[in-house]
Every structure is written in structure tokens, then in C-alpha cells.
mmCIF file with all atom_site columns, all heavy atoms in Angstrom:
data_model
loop_
_atom_site.group_PDB
_atom_site.id
_atom_site.type_symbol
_atom_site.label_atom_id
_atom_site.label_alt_id
_atom_site.label_comp_id
_atom_site.label_asym_id
_atom_site.label_entity_id
_atom_site.label_seq_id
_atom_site.pdbx_PDB_ins_code
_atom_site.Cartn_x
_atom_site.Cartn_y
_atom_site.Cartn_z
_atom_site.occupancy
_atom_site.B_iso_or_equiv
_atom_site.pdbx_formal_charge
_atom_site.auth_seq_id
_atom_site.auth_comp_id
_atom_site.auth_asym_id
_atom_site.auth_atom_id
_atom_site.pdbx_PDB_model_num
ATOM 1   N N   . SER A 1 1  ? 141.910 161.492 107.718 1.00 99.00 ? 1329 SER A N   1
ATOM 2   C CA  . SER A 1 1  ? 142.310 160.085 107.794 1.00 99.00 ? 1329 SER A CA  1
ATOM 3   C C   . SER A 1 1  ? 143.061 159.744 106.515 1.00 99.00 ? 1329 SER A C   1
ATOM 4   O O   . SER A 1 1  ? 142.859 160.375 105.468 1.00 99.00 ? 1329 SER A O   1
ATOM 5   C CB  . SER A 1 1  ? 141.089 159.173 107.935 1.00 99.00 ? 1329 SER A CB  1
ATOM 6   O OG  . SER A 1 1  ? 140.353 159.482 109.102 1.00 99.00 ? 1329 SER A OG  1
ATOM 7   N N   . VAL A 1 2  ? 143.944 158.751 106.607 1.00 98.00 ? 1330 VAL A N   1
ATOM 8   C CA  . VAL A 1 2  ? 144.707 158.308 105.429 1.00 98.00 ? 1330 VAL A CA  1
ATOM 9   C C   . VAL A 1 2  ? 144.553 156.802 105.301 1.00 98.00 ? 1330 VAL A C   1
ATOM 10  O O   . VAL A 1 2  ? 144.774 156.071 106.271 1.00 98.00 ? 1330 VAL A O   1
ATOM 11  C CB  . VAL A 1 2  ? 146.198 158.676 105.534 1.00 98.00 ? 1330 VAL A CB  1
ATOM 12  C CG1 . VAL A 1 2  ? 146.912 158.351 104.220 1.00 98.00 ? 1330 VAL A CG1 1
ATOM 13  C CG2 . VAL A 1 2  ? 146.391 160.141 105.896 1.00 98.00 ? 1330 VAL A CG2 1
ATOM 14  N N   . GLU A 1 3  ? 144.182 156.356 104.102 1.00 98.00 ? 1331 GLU A N   1
ATOM 15  C CA  . GLU A 1 3  ? 144.025 154.933 103.837 1.00 98.00 ? 1331 GLU A CA  1
ATOM 16  C C   . GLU A 1 3  ? 144.970 154.495 102.730 1.00 98.00 ? 1331 GLU A C   1
ATOM 17  O O   . GLU A 1 3  ? 145.184 155.199 101.745 1.00 98.00 ? 1331 GLU A O   1
ATOM 18  C CB  . GLU A 1 3  ? 142.579 154.617 103.438 1.00 98.00 ? 1331 GLU A CB  1
ATOM 19  C CG  . GLU A 1 3  ? 141.590 154.812 104.562 1.00 98.00 ? 1331 GLU A CG  1
ATOM 20  C CD  . GLU A 1 3  ? 140.174 154.472 104.159 1.00 98.00 ? 1331 GLU A CD  1
ATOM 21  O OE1 . GLU A 1 3  ? 139.833 154.651 102.969 1.00 98.00 ? 1331 GLU A OE1 1
ATOM 22  O OE2 . GLU A 1 3  ? 139.409 154.013 105.032 1.00 98.00 ? 1331 GLU A OE2 1
ATOM 23  N N   . TRP A 1 4  ? 145.496 153.290 102.915 1.00 97.00 ? 1332 TRP A N   1
ATOM 24  C CA  . TRP A 1 4  ? 146.389 152.665 101.937 1.00 97.00 ? 1332 TRP A CA  1
ATOM 25  C C   . TRP A 1 4  ? 145.562 152.193 100.737 1.00 97.00 ? 1332 TRP A C   1
ATOM 26  O O   . TRP A 1 4  ? 144.423 151.755 100.895 1.00 97.00 ? 1332 TRP A O   1
ATOM 27  C CB  . TRP A 1 4  ? 147.057 151.472 102.604 1.00 97.00 ? 1332 TRP A CB  1
ATOM 28  C CG  . TRP A 1 4  ? 148.311 150.985 101.957 1.00 97.00 ? 1332 TRP A CG  1
ATOM 29  C CD1 . TRP A 1 4  ? 148.409 150.128 100.905 1.00 97.00 ? 1332 TRP A CD1 1
ATOM 30  C CD2 . TRP A 1 4  ? 149.648 151.279 102.355 1.00 97.00 ? 1332 TRP A CD2 1
ATOM 31  N NE1 . TRP A 1 4  ? 149.722 149.872 100.617 1.00 97.00 ? 1332 TRP A NE1 1
ATOM 32  C CE2 . TRP A 1 4  ? 150.510 150.571 101.496 1.00 97.00 ? 1332 TRP A CE2 1
ATOM 33  C CE3 . TRP A 1 4  ? 150.202 152.068 103.365 1.00 97.00 ? 1332 TRP A CE3 1
ATOM 34  C CZ2 . TRP A 1 4  ? 151.901 150.622 101.604 1.00 97.00 ? 1332 TRP A CZ2 1
ATOM 35  C CZ3 . TRP A 1 4  ? 151.582 152.115 103.470 1.00 97.00 ? 1332 TRP A CZ3 1
ATOM 36  C CH2 . TRP A 1 4  ? 152.420 151.407 102.603 1.00 97.00 ? 1332 TRP A CH2 1
ATOM 37  N N   . PRO A 1 5  ? 146.105 152.247 99.530  1.00 96.00 ? 1333 PRO A N   1
ATOM 38  C CA  . PRO A 1 5  ? 145.349 151.765 98.363  1.00 96.00 ? 1333 PRO A CA  1
ATOM 39  C C   . PRO A 1 5  ? 145.165 150.248 98.396  1.00 96.00 ? 1333 PRO A C   1
ATOM 40  O O   . PRO A 1 5  ? 145.941 149.532 99.014  1.00 96.00 ? 1333 PRO A O   1
ATOM 41  C CB  . PRO A 1 5  ? 146.223 152.181 97.177  1.00 96.00 ? 1333 PRO A CB  1
ATOM 42  C CG  . PRO A 1 5  ? 147.608 152.294 97.745  1.00 96.00 ? 1333 PRO A CG  1
ATOM 43  C CD  . PRO A 1 5  ? 147.428 152.784 99.152  1.00 96.00 ? 1333 PRO A CD  1
ATOM 44  N N   . LEU A 1 6  ? 144.118 149.800 97.711  1.00 96.00 ? 1334 LEU A N   1
ATOM 45  C CA  . LEU A 1 6  ? 143.853 148.367 97.632  1.00 96.00 ? 1334 LEU A CA  1
ATOM 46  C C   . LEU A 1 6  ? 144.792 147.663 96.668  1.00 96.00 ? 1334 LEU A C   1
ATOM 47  O O   . LEU A 1 6  ? 145.056 146.470 96.797  1.00 96.00 ? 1334 LEU A O   1
ATOM 48  C CB  . LEU A 1 6  ? 142.400 148.123 97.214  1.00 96.00 ? 1334 LEU A CB  1
ATOM 49  C CG  . LEU A 1 6  ? 141.335 148.496 98.246  1.00 96.00 ? 1334 LEU A CG  1
ATOM 50  C CD1 . LEU A 1 6  ? 139.945 148.389 97.635  1.00 96.00 ? 1334 LEU A CD1 1
ATOM 51  C CD2 . LEU A 1 6  ? 141.443 147.600 99.475  1.00 96.00 ? 1334 LEU A CD2 1
ATOM 52  N N   . ILE A 1 7  ? 145.285 148.393 95.671  1.00 95.00 ? 1335 ILE A N   1
ATOM 53  C CA  . ILE A 1 7  ? 146.148 147.817 94.648  1.00 95.00 ? 1335 ILE A CA  1
ATOM 54  C C   . ILE A 1 7  ? 147.507 148.511 94.685  1.00 95.00 ? 1335 ILE A C   1
ATOM 55  O O   . ILE A 1 7  ? 147.594 149.742 94.813  1.00 95.00 ? 1335 ILE A O   1
ATOM 56  C CB  . ILE A 1 7  ? 145.515 147.951 93.251  1.00 95.00 ? 1335 ILE A CB  1
ATOM 57  C CG1 . ILE A 1 7  ? 144.172 147.215 93.213  1.00 95.00 ? 1335 ILE A CG1 1
ATOM 58  C CG2 . ILE A 1 7  ? 146.442 147.405 92.162  1.00 95.00 ? 1335 ILE A CG2 1
ATOM 59  C CD1 . ILE A 1 7  ? 143.385 147.409 91.935  1.00 95.00 ? 1335 ILE A CD1 1
ATOM 60  N N   . GLU A 1 8  ? 148.562 147.731 94.569  1.00 90.00 ? 1336 GLU A N   1
ATOM 61  C CA  . GLU A 1 8  ? 149.925 148.231 94.662  1.00 90.00 ? 1336 GLU A CA  1
ATOM 62  C C   . GLU A 1 8  ? 150.188 149.349 93.653  1.00 90.00 ? 1336 GLU A C   1
ATOM 63  O O   . GLU A 1 8  ? 149.714 149.291 92.515  1.00 90.00 ? 1336 GLU A O   1
ATOM 64  C CB  . GLU A 1 8  ? 150.891 147.069 94.417  1.00 90.00 ? 1336 GLU A CB  1
ATOM 65  C CG  . GLU A 1 8  ? 152.317 147.361 94.805  1.00 90.00 ? 1336 GLU A CG  1
ATOM 66  C CD  . GLU A 1 8  ? 153.182 146.122 94.693  1.00 90.00 ? 1336 GLU A CD  1
ATOM 67  O OE1 . GLU A 1 8  ? 152.935 145.285 93.798  1.00 90.00 ? 1336 GLU A OE1 1
ATOM 68  O OE2 . GLU A 1 8  ? 154.108 145.989 95.494  1.00 90.00 ? 1336 GLU A OE2 1
ATOM 69  N N   . HIS A 1 9  ? 150.918 150.355 94.091  1.00 89.00 ? 1337 HIS A N   1
ATOM 70  C CA  . HIS A 1 9  ? 151.377 151.492 93.290  1.00 89.00 ? 1337 HIS A CA  1
ATOM 71  C C   . HIS A 1 9  ? 150.294 152.539 93.033  1.00 89.00 ? 1337 HIS A C   1
ATOM 72  O O   . HIS A 1 9  ? 150.552 153.537 92.372  1.00 89.00 ? 1337 HIS A O   1
ATOM 73  C CB  . HIS A 1 9  ? 151.989 151.041 91.957  1.00 89.00 ? 1337 HIS A CB  1
ATOM 74  C CG  . HIS A 1 9  ? 153.127 150.085 92.111  1.00 89.00 ? 1337 HIS A CG  1
ATOM 75  N ND1 . HIS A 1 9  ? 154.206 150.340 92.939  1.00 89.00 ? 1337 HIS A ND1 1
ATOM 76  C CD2 . HIS A 1 9  ? 153.341 148.862 91.550  1.00 89.00 ? 1337 HIS A CD2 1
ATOM 77  C CE1 . HIS A 1 9  ? 155.044 149.318 92.872  1.00 89.00 ? 1337 HIS A CE1 1
ATOM 78  N NE2 . HIS A 1 9  ? 154.544 148.416 92.046  1.00 89.00 ? 1337 HIS A NE2 1
ATOM 79  N N   . GLU A 1 10 ? 149.076 152.326 93.528  1.00 95.00 ? 1338 GLU A N   1
ATOM 80  C CA  . GLU A 1 10 ? 148.079 153.377 93.448  1.00 95.00 ? 1338 GLU A CA  1
ATOM 81  C C   . GLU A 1 10 ? 148.303 154.382 94.580  1.00 95.00 ? 1338 GLU A C   1
ATOM 82  O O   . GLU A 1 10 ? 148.949 154.070 95.582  1.00 95.00 ? 1338 GLU A O   1
ATOM 83  C CB  . GLU A 1 10 ? 146.670 152.786 93.517  1.00 95.00 ? 1338 GLU A CB  1
ATOM 84  C CG  . GLU A 1 10 ? 146.292 151.987 92.276  1.00 95.00 ? 1338 GLU A CG  1
ATOM 85  C CD  . GLU A 1 10 ? 144.819 151.646 92.226  1.00 95.00 ? 1338 GLU A CD  1
ATOM 86  O OE1 . GLU A 1 10 ? 144.112 151.840 93.236  1.00 95.00 ? 1338 GLU A OE1 1
ATOM 87  O OE2 . GLU A 1 10 ? 144.372 151.184 91.156  1.00 95.00 ? 1338 GLU A OE2 1
ATOM 88  N N   . PRO A 1 11 ? 147.786 155.612 94.456  1.00 97.00 ? 1339 PRO A N   1
ATOM 89  C CA  . PRO A 1 11 ? 148.028 156.621 95.497  1.00 97.00 ? 1339 PRO A CA  1
ATOM 90  C C   . PRO A 1 11 ? 147.257 156.348 96.778  1.00 97.00 ? 1339 PRO A C   1
ATOM 91  O O   . PRO A 1 11 ? 146.264 155.615 96.786  1.00 97.00 ? 1339 PRO A O   1
ATOM 92  C CB  . PRO A 1 11 ? 147.551 157.920 94.835  1.00 97.00 ? 1339 PRO A CB  1
ATOM 93  C CG  . PRO A 1 11 ? 146.604 157.489 93.779  1.00 97.00 ? 1339 PRO A CG  1
ATOM 94  C CD  . PRO A 1 11 ? 147.070 156.145 93.297  1.00 97.00 ? 1339 PRO A CD  1
ATOM 95  N N   . LEU A 1 12 ? 147.720 156.966 97.850  1.00 98.00 ? 1340 LEU A N   1
ATOM 96  C CA  . LEU A 1 12 ? 146.979 156.950 99.109  1.00 98.00 ? 1340 LEU A CA  1
ATOM 97  C C   . LEU A 1 12 ? 145.676 157.726 98.940  1.00 98.00 ? 1340 LEU A C   1
ATOM 98  O O   . LEU A 1 12 ? 145.529 158.535 98.023  1.00 98.00 ? 1340 LEU A O   1
ATOM 99  C CB  . LEU A 1 12 ? 147.811 157.597 100.216 1.00 98.00 ? 1340 LEU A CB  1
ATOM 100 C CG  . LEU A 1 12 ? 149.143 156.948 100.574 1.00 98.00 ? 1340 LEU A CG  1
ATOM 101 C CD1 . LEU A 1 12 ? 149.950 157.866 101.492 1.00 98.00 ? 1340 LEU A CD1 1
ATOM 102 C CD2 . LEU A 1 12 ? 148.940 155.596 101.223 1.00 98.00 ? 1340 LEU A CD2 1
ATOM 103 N N   . VAL A 1 13 ? 144.739 157.484 99.849  1.00 98.00 ? 1341 VAL A N   1
ATOM 104 C CA  . VAL A 1 13 ? 143.492 158.250 99.867  1.00 98.00 ? 1341 VAL A CA  1
ATOM 105 C C   . VAL A 1 13 ? 143.431 159.021 101.182 1.00 98.00 ? 1341 VAL A C   1
ATOM 106 O O   . VAL A 1 13 ? 143.479 158.423 102.265 1.00 98.00 ? 1341 VAL A O   1
ATOM 107 C CB  . VAL A 1 13 ? 142.260 157.346 99.712  1.00 98.00 ? 1341 VAL A CB  1
ATOM 108 C CG1 . VAL A 1 13 ? 140.984 158.190 99.760  1.00 98.00 ? 1341 VAL A CG1 1
ATOM 109 C CG2 . VAL A 1 13 ? 142.325 156.558 98.410  1.00 98.00 ? 1341 VAL A CG2 1
ATOM 110 N N   . VAL A 1 14 ? 143.350 160.341 101.075 1.00 98.00 ? 1342 VAL A N   1
ATOM 111 C CA  . VAL A 1 14 ? 143.232 161.206 102.252 1.00 98.00 ? 1342 VAL A CA  1
ATOM 112 C C   . VAL A 1 14 ? 141.782 161.678 102.353 1.00 98.00 ? 1342 VAL A C   1
ATOM 113 O O   . VAL A 1 14 ? 141.235 162.254 101.403 1.00 98.00 ? 1342 VAL A O   1
ATOM 114 C CB  . VAL A 1 14 ? 144.180 162.413 102.160 1.00 98.00 ? 1342 VAL A CB  1
ATOM 115 C CG1 . VAL A 1 14 ? 143.980 163.340 103.369 1.00 98.00 ? 1342 VAL A CG1 1
ATOM 116 C CG2 . VAL A 1 14 ? 145.631 161.956 102.078 1.00 98.00 ? 1342 VAL A CG2 1
ATOM 117 N N   . HIS A 1 15 ? 141.151 161.417 103.486 1.00 98.00 ? 1343 HIS A N   1
ATOM 118 C CA  . HIS A 1 15 ? 139.774 161.837 103.747 1.00 98.00 ? 1343 HIS A CA  1
ATOM 119 C C   . HIS A 1 15 ? 139.806 163.053 104.669 1.00 98.00 ? 1343 HIS A C   1
ATOM 120 O O   . HIS A 1 15 ? 140.479 163.023 105.709 1.00 98.00 ? 1343 HIS A O   1
ATOM 121 C CB  . HIS A 1 15 ? 138.981 160.718 104.422 1.00 98.00 ? 1343 HIS A CB  1
ATOM 122 C CG  . HIS A 1 15 ? 138.878 159.462 103.605 1.00 98.00 ? 1343 HIS A CG  1
ATOM 123 N ND1 . HIS A 1 15 ? 137.807 159.183 102.794 1.00 98.00 ? 1343 HIS A ND1 1
ATOM 124 C CD2 . HIS A 1 15 ? 139.732 158.415 103.479 1.00 98.00 ? 1343 HIS A CD2 1
ATOM 125 C CE1 . HIS A 1 15 ? 137.985 158.015 102.202 1.00 98.00 ? 1343 HIS A CE1 1
ATOM 126 N NE2 . HIS A 1 15 ? 139.145 157.517 102.602 1.00 98.00 ? 1343 HIS A NE2 1
ATOM 127 N N   . THR A 1 16 ? 139.080 164.110 104.297 1.00 98.00 ? 1344 THR A N   1
ATOM 128 C CA  . THR A 1 16 ? 139.032 165.331 105.103 1.00 98.00 ? 1344 THR A CA  1
ATOM 129 C C   . THR A 1 16 ? 137.620 165.550 105.624 1.00 98.00 ? 1344 THR A C   1
ATOM 130 O O   . THR A 1 16 ? 136.650 165.556 104.843 1.00 98.00 ? 1344 THR A O   1
ATOM 131 C CB  . THR A 1 16 ? 139.476 166.550 104.278 1.00 98.00 ? 1344 THR A CB  1
ATOM 132 O OG1 . THR A 1 16 ? 140.797 166.309 103.766 1.00 98.00 ? 1344 THR A OG1 1
ATOM 133 C CG2 . THR A 1 16 ? 139.494 167.815 105.136 1.00 98.00 ? 1344 THR A CG2 1
ATOM 134 N N   . ALA A 1 17 ? 137.511 165.722 106.933 1.00 98.00 ? 1345 ALA A N   1
ATOM 135 C CA  . ALA A 1 17 ? 136.195 165.866 107.571 1.00 98.00 ? 1345 ALA A CA  1
ATOM 136 C C   . ALA A 1 17 ? 135.512 167.168 107.180 1.00 98.00 ? 1345 ALA A C   1
ATOM 137 O O   . ALA A 1 17 ? 136.153 168.164 106.817 1.00 98.00 ? 1345 ALA A O   1
ATOM 138 C CB  . ALA A 1 17 ? 136.353 165.802 109.088 1.00 98.00 ? 1345 ALA A CB  1
ATOM 139 N N   . LYS A 1 18 ? 134.178 167.149 107.250 1.00 98.00 ? 1346 LYS A N   1
ATOM 140 C CA  . LYS A 1 18 ? 133.309 168.332 107.120 1.00 98.00 ? 1346 LYS A CA  1
ATOM 141 C C   . LYS A 1 18 ? 133.279 168.924 105.716 1.00 98.00 ? 1346 LYS A C   1
ATOM 142 O O   . LYS A 1 18 ? 132.806 170.056 105.536 1.00 98.00 ? 1346 LYS A O   1
ATOM 143 C CB  . LYS A 1 18 ? 133.713 169.427 108.133 1.00 98.00 ? 1346 LYS A CB  1
ATOM 144 C CG  . LYS A 1 18 ? 133.903 168.941 109.562 1.00 98.00 ? 1346 LYS A CG  1
ATOM 145 C CD  . LYS A 1 18 ? 132.737 168.130 110.078 1.00 98.00 ? 1346 LYS A CD  1
ATOM 146 C CE  . LYS A 1 18 ? 132.981 167.633 111.507 1.00 98.00 ? 1346 LYS A CE  1
ATOM 147 N NZ  . LYS A 1 18 ? 131.949 166.675 111.953 1.00 98.00 ? 1346 LYS A NZ  1
ATOM 148 N N   . LYS A 1 19 ? 133.740 168.183 104.740 1.00 98.00 ? 1347 LYS A N   1
ATOM 149 C CA  . LYS A 1 19 ? 133.581 168.616 103.358 1.00 98.00 ? 1347 LYS A CA  1
ATOM 150 C C   . LYS A 1 19 ? 132.301 168.016 102.799 1.00 98.00 ? 1347 LYS A C   1
ATOM 151 O O   . LYS A 1 19 ? 131.763 167.050 103.354 1.00 98.00 ? 1347 LYS A O   1
ATOM 152 C CB  . LYS A 1 19 ? 134.773 168.150 102.513 1.00 98.00 ? 1347 LYS A CB  1
ATOM 153 C CG  . LYS A 1 19 ? 136.048 168.944 102.690 1.00 98.00 ? 1347 LYS A CG  1
ATOM 154 C CD  . LYS A 1 19 ? 137.087 168.501 101.665 1.00 98.00 ? 1347 LYS A CD  1
ATOM 155 C CE  . LYS A 1 19 ? 138.301 169.405 101.655 1.00 98.00 ? 1347 LYS A CE  1
ATOM 156 N NZ  . LYS A 1 19 ? 139.246 169.029 100.569 1.00 98.00 ? 1347 LYS A NZ  1
ATOM 157 N N   . PRO A 1 20 ? 131.795 168.525 101.672 1.00 98.00 ? 1348 PRO A N   1
ATOM 158 C CA  . PRO A 1 20 ? 130.689 167.840 101.006 1.00 98.00 ? 1348 PRO A CA  1
ATOM 159 C C   . PRO A 1 20 ? 131.081 166.399 100.692 1.00 98.00 ? 1348 PRO A C   1
ATOM 160 O O   . PRO A 1 20 ? 132.239 166.133 100.339 1.00 98.00 ? 1348 PRO A O   1
ATOM 161 C CB  . PRO A 1 20 ? 130.481 168.655 99.727  1.00 98.00 ? 1348 PRO A CB  1
ATOM 162 C CG  . PRO A 1 20 ? 131.028 170.010 100.050 1.00 98.00 ? 1348 PRO A CG  1
ATOM 163 C CD  . PRO A 1 20 ? 132.179 169.767 101.001 1.00 98.00 ? 1348 PRO A CD  1
ATOM 164 N N   . GLU A 1 21 ? 130.169 165.475 100.832 1.00 98.00 ? 1349 GLU A N   1
ATOM 165 C CA  . GLU A 1 21 ? 130.481 164.049 100.756 1.00 98.00 ? 1349 GLU A CA  1
ATOM 166 C C   . GLU A 1 21 ? 131.349 163.661 99.547  1.00 98.00 ? 1349 GLU A C   1
ATOM 167 O O   . GLU A 1 21 ? 132.336 162.942 99.712  1.00 98.00 ? 1349 GLU A O   1
ATOM 168 C CB  . GLU A 1 21 ? 129.175 163.236 100.753 1.00 98.00 ? 1349 GLU A CB  1
ATOM 169 C CG  . GLU A 1 21 ? 129.369 161.751 101.021 1.00 98.00 ? 1349 GLU A CG  1
ATOM 170 C CD  . GLU A 1 21 ? 129.789 161.444 102.450 1.00 98.00 ? 1349 GLU A CD  1
ATOM 171 O OE1 . GLU A 1 21 ? 129.548 162.298 103.340 1.00 98.00 ? 1349 GLU A OE1 1
ATOM 172 O OE2 . GLU A 1 21 ? 130.365 160.372 102.670 1.00 98.00 ? 1349 GLU A OE2 1
ATOM 173 N N   . PRO A 1 22 ? 131.061 164.139 98.346  1.00 97.00 ? 1350 PRO A N   1
ATOM 174 C CA  . PRO A 1 22 ? 131.903 163.732 97.210  1.00 97.00 ? 1350 PRO A CA  1
ATOM 175 C C   . PRO A 1 22 ? 133.332 164.272 97.280  1.00 97.00 ? 1350 PRO A C   1
ATOM 176 O O   . PRO A 1 22 ? 134.227 163.758 96.613  1.00 97.00 ? 1350 PRO A O   1
ATOM 177 C CB  . PRO A 1 22 ? 131.166 164.324 95.994  1.00 97.00 ? 1350 PRO A CB  1
ATOM 178 C CG  . PRO A 1 22 ? 129.778 164.599 96.449  1.00 97.00 ? 1350 PRO A CG  1
ATOM 179 C CD  . PRO A 1 22 ? 129.906 164.946 97.902  1.00 97.00 ? 1350 PRO A CD  1
ATOM 180 N N   . GLU A 1 23 ? 133.549 165.313 98.086  1.00 98.00 ? 1351 GLU A N   1
ATOM 181 C CA  . GLU A 1 23 ? 134.868 165.949 98.162  1.00 98.00 ? 1351 GLU A CA  1
ATOM 182 C C   . GLU A 1 23 ? 135.713 165.434 99.325  1.00 98.00 ? 1351 GLU A C   1
ATOM 183 O O   . GLU A 1 23 ? 136.871 165.821 99.467  1.00 98.00 ? 1351 GLU A O   1
ATOM 184 C CB  . GLU A 1 23 ? 134.706 167.467 98.278  1.00 98.00 ? 1351 GLU A CB  1
ATOM 185 C CG  . GLU A 1 23 ? 134.008 168.105 97.091  1.00 98.00 ? 1351 GLU A CG  1
ATOM 186 C CD  . GLU A 1 23 ? 133.791 169.599 97.294  1.00 98.00 ? 1351 GLU A CD  1
ATOM 187 O OE1 . GLU A 1 23 ? 134.483 170.189 98.157  1.00 98.00 ? 1351 GLU A OE1 1
ATOM 188 O OE2 . GLU A 1 23 ? 132.913 170.169 96.610  1.00 98.00 ? 1351 GLU A OE2 1
ATOM 189 N N   . ILE A 1 24 ? 135.146 164.569 100.145 1.00 98.00 ? 1352 ILE A N   1
ATOM 190 C CA  . ILE A 1 24 ? 135.885 164.079 101.320 1.00 98.00 ? 1352 ILE A CA  1
ATOM 191 C C   . ILE A 1 24 ? 137.153 163.321 100.927 1.00 98.00 ? 1352 ILE A C   1
ATOM 192 O O   . ILE A 1 24 ? 138.227 163.598 101.453 1.00 98.00 ? 1352 ILE A O   1
ATOM 193 C CB  . ILE A 1 24 ? 134.971 163.210 102.210 1.00 98.00 ? 1352 ILE A CB  1
ATOM 194 C CG1 . ILE A 1 24 ? 133.931 164.092 102.912 1.00 98.00 ? 1352 ILE A CG1 1
ATOM 195 C CG2 . ILE A 1 24 ? 135.799 162.448 103.252 1.00 98.00 ? 1352 ILE A CG2 1
ATOM 196 C CD1 . ILE A 1 24 ? 132.895 163.320 103.692 1.00 98.00 ? 1352 ILE A CD1 1
ATOM 197 N N   . PRO A 1 25 ? 137.096 162.374 99.976  1.00 98.00 ? 1353 PRO A N   1
ATOM 198 C CA  . PRO A 1 25 ? 138.314 161.645 99.637  1.00 98.00 ? 1353 PRO A CA  1
ATOM 199 C C   . PRO A 1 25 ? 139.119 162.344 98.542  1.00 98.00 ? 1353 PRO A C   1
ATOM 200 O O   . PRO A 1 25 ? 138.564 162.955 97.627  1.00 98.00 ? 1353 PRO A O   1
ATOM 201 C CB  . PRO A 1 25 ? 137.780 160.302 99.135  1.00 98.00 ? 1353 PRO A CB  1
ATOM 202 C CG  . PRO A 1 25 ? 136.456 160.629 98.526  1.00 98.00 ? 1353 PRO A CG  1
ATOM 203 C CD  . PRO A 1 25 ? 135.907 161.793 99.307  1.00 98.00 ? 1353 PRO A CD  1
ATOM 204 N N   . GLU A 1 26 ? 140.440 162.248 98.680  1.00 98.00 ? 1354 GLU A N   1
ATOM 205 C CA  . GLU A 1 26 ? 141.349 162.795 97.677  1.00 98.00 ? 1354 GLU A CA  1
ATOM 206 C C   . GLU A 1 26 ? 142.521 161.837 97.515  1.00 98.00 ? 1354 GLU A C   1
ATOM 207 O O   . GLU A 1 26 ? 143.122 161.409 98.504  1.00 98.00 ? 1354 GLU A O   1
ATOM 208 C CB  . GLU A 1 26 ? 141.863 164.167 98.105  1.00 98.00 ? 1354 GLU A CB  1
ATOM 209 C CG  . GLU A 1 26 ? 142.876 164.782 97.164  1.00 98.00 ? 1354 GLU A CG  1
ATOM 210 C CD  . GLU A 1 26 ? 143.500 166.065 97.720  1.00 98.00 ? 1354 GLU A CD  1
ATOM 211 O OE1 . GLU A 1 26 ? 143.182 166.429 98.871  1.00 98.00 ? 1354 GLU A OE1 1
ATOM 212 O OE2 . GLU A 1 26 ? 144.320 166.666 97.005  1.00 98.00 ? 1354 GLU A OE2 1
ATOM 213 N N   . LYS A 1 27 ? 142.838 161.484 96.290  1.00 98.00 ? 1355 LYS A N   1
ATOM 214 C CA  . LYS A 1 27 ? 143.995 160.623 96.041  1.00 98.00 ? 1355 LYS A CA  1
ATOM 215 C C   . LYS A 1 27 ? 145.264 161.469 96.122  1.00 98.00 ? 1355 LYS A C   1
ATOM 216 O O   . LYS A 1 27 ? 145.367 162.513 95.474  1.00 98.00 ? 1355 LYS A O   1
ATOM 217 C CB  . LYS A 1 27 ? 143.879 159.944 94.680  1.00 98.00 ? 1355 LYS A CB  1
ATOM 218 C CG  . LYS A 1 27 ? 142.775 158.903 94.610  1.00 98.00 ? 1355 LYS A CG  1
ATOM 219 C CD  . LYS A 1 27 ? 142.756 158.191 93.267  1.00 98.00 ? 1355 LYS A CD  1
ATOM 220 C CE  . LYS A 1 27 ? 141.684 157.094 93.245  1.00 98.00 ? 1355 LYS A CE  1
ATOM 221 N NZ  . LYS A 1 27 ? 141.661 156.373 91.949  1.00 98.00 ? 1355 LYS A NZ  1
ATOM 222 N N   . VAL A 1 28 ? 146.211 160.987 96.924  1.00 98.00 ? 1356 VAL A N   1
ATOM 223 C CA  . VAL A 1 28 ? 147.446 161.743 97.166  1.00 98.00 ? 1356 VAL A CA  1
ATOM 224 C C   . VAL A 1 28 ? 148.644 160.813 97.013  1.00 98.00 ? 1356 VAL A C   1
ATOM 225 O O   . VAL A 1 28 ? 148.703 159.755 97.647  1.00 98.00 ? 1356 VAL A O   1
ATOM 226 C CB  . VAL A 1 28 ? 147.454 162.370 98.578  1.00 98.00 ? 1356 VAL A CB  1
ATOM 227 C CG1 . VAL A 1 28 ? 148.781 163.056 98.861  1.00 98.00 ? 1356 VAL A CG1 1
ATOM 228 C CG2 . VAL A 1 28 ? 146.298 163.341 98.745  1.00 98.00 ? 1356 VAL A CG2 1
ATOM 229 N N   . LYS A 1 29 ? 149.593 161.206 96.196  1.00 97.00 ? 1357 LYS A N   1
ATOM 230 C CA  . LYS A 1 29 ? 150.836 160.446 96.077  1.00 97.00 ? 1357 LYS A CA  1
ATOM 231 C C   . LYS A 1 29 ? 151.750 160.823 97.229  1.00 97.00 ? 1357 LYS A C   1
ATOM 232 O O   . LYS A 1 29 ? 152.023 162.005 97.468  1.00 97.00 ? 1357 LYS A O   1
ATOM 233 C CB  . LYS A 1 29 ? 151.523 160.729 94.745  1.00 97.00 ? 1357 LYS A CB  1
ATOM 234 C CG  . LYS A 1 29 ? 152.796 159.922 94.542  1.00 97.00 ? 1357 LYS A CG  1
ATOM 235 C CD  . LYS A 1 29 ? 153.448 160.224 93.203  1.00 97.00 ? 1357 LYS A CD  1
ATOM 236 C CE  . LYS A 1 29 ? 154.735 159.419 93.052  1.00 97.00 ? 1357 LYS A CE  1
ATOM 237 N NZ  . LYS A 1 29 ? 155.415 159.714 91.759  1.00 97.00 ? 1357 LYS A NZ  1
ATOM 238 N N   . SER A 1 30 ? 152.232 159.834 97.934  1.00 96.00 ? 1358 SER A N   1
ATOM 239 C CA  . SER A 1 30 ? 153.113 160.101 99.071  1.00 96.00 ? 1358 SER A CA  1
ATOM 240 C C   . SER A 1 30 ? 154.416 160.722 98.578  1.00 96.00 ? 1358 SER A C   1
ATOM 241 O O   . SER A 1 30 ? 155.019 160.234 97.619  1.00 96.00 ? 1358 SER A O   1
ATOM 242 C CB  . SER A 1 30 ? 153.415 158.803 99.817  1.00 96.00 ? 1358 SER A CB  1
ATOM 243 O OG  . SER A 1 30 ? 154.291 159.056 100.892 1.00 96.00 ? 1358 SER A OG  1
#
């Protein structure tokens, strides 16, 4: 899944299923 940042100019957040909970989200610059 991909979520838009809450604050302008921050990176997107990509969530990857089936990873350990702390590793699910990753900040990614488009």
C-alpha cells in the first residue's frame, strides 16, 4: 500500500505485507 505524507514535501510511505511489524512501513521518495 502507498500513503501520502501528512505534511507537504515529506516522502510517501510504502507498506509491505507480511514483514515484521516495525519493518512494514518504508519512507520512499517518488
Side-chain angles (χ1 to χ4, degrees):
S1329 300
V1330 187
E1331 293 181 329
W1332 200 276
L1334 291 172
I1335 300 173
E1336 194 173 33
H1337 303 308
E1338 291 192 349
L1340 299 169
V1341 179
V1342 177
H1343 299 265
T1344 303
K1346 312 309 179 189
K1347 283 188 171 185
E1349 194 70 21
E1351 298 176 19
I1352 289 174
E1354 177 188 3
K1355 291 184 177 181
V1356 175
K1357 182 180 179 181
S1358 179

